Amino acid sequence: MGSTLPAASGTVAVMTATVAASFLESADVAAQLVGHPNVAAMWHEPSALHEYTVGALAAHLGRAVTTVERYRDTDAPSRTAPLLNAVEYFARALGDHDPISSDVHIAVRRRAEKAADAGPGPVAADVRDTVARLVVSGLDPNVHVAVFDGMAMRLGDYLRTRIVELVVHTSDLARSVNVPEPALPAGAWAIAADVVAALALHRQGARGLTLGLARSDAFPPPTAF
């Protein structure tokens, strides 16, 4: 099956090696934030992300790191399986679900809440230790991995989806616990912008994206999620 959605690589030219490096740098920043004392102190408080506690948000952010190792180290998909790009992954995983009250998003929140039950120390340690192992082992962006719901991807494309999660939820978590938003690598922002813009184009269409950006006073701003 051929790709039908934007590959999220035309707007910003990104080499696969840069994707891996940007992911690891962003993951390290996220790990430090998850381990911040304010996060532990406010673990059970509401976060800036609707219907997430701080602890659930921290666990959800950490999952953007831990799933990379988990999927990389499990059985690879069939070599003949169609490979999705980052935009196709989000479009298929999220579909047209309501971003708050759909069964998909409720399940994601429940999973984060369950992970947060381990407490701030174990959650932070899991993320920190995973980053350390990934730095040592390295990330080959060309290997094929089976990810959420069995979708097959190149690891480099899956890393693009994780970078989106990392930059967005790092910002959410910092705002939630009243700490300055930590600096993330410019390359990570470029990758995230590329993916999110392509996803917004897919969801809104060329007209909706163009007018939403150029005439926000008259048209709703385009959204990717």
Side-chain angles (χ1 to χ4, degrees), residues 156-178:
D157 287 316
Y158 185 63
L159 293 180
R160 287 177 168 85
T161 72
R162 300 307 88 193
I163 288 170
V164 172
E165 296 285 330
L166 285 168
V167 300
V168 171
H169 292 313
T170 292
S171 176
D172 289 336
L173 186 57
R175 288 186 293 115
S176 299
V177 299
N178 303 313

Side-chain angles (χ1 to χ4, degrees), residues 82-95:
L83 298 175
L84 303 183
N85 63 44
V87 178
E88 290 169 325
Y89 167 86
F90 278 124
R92 183 173 295 189
L94 301 178

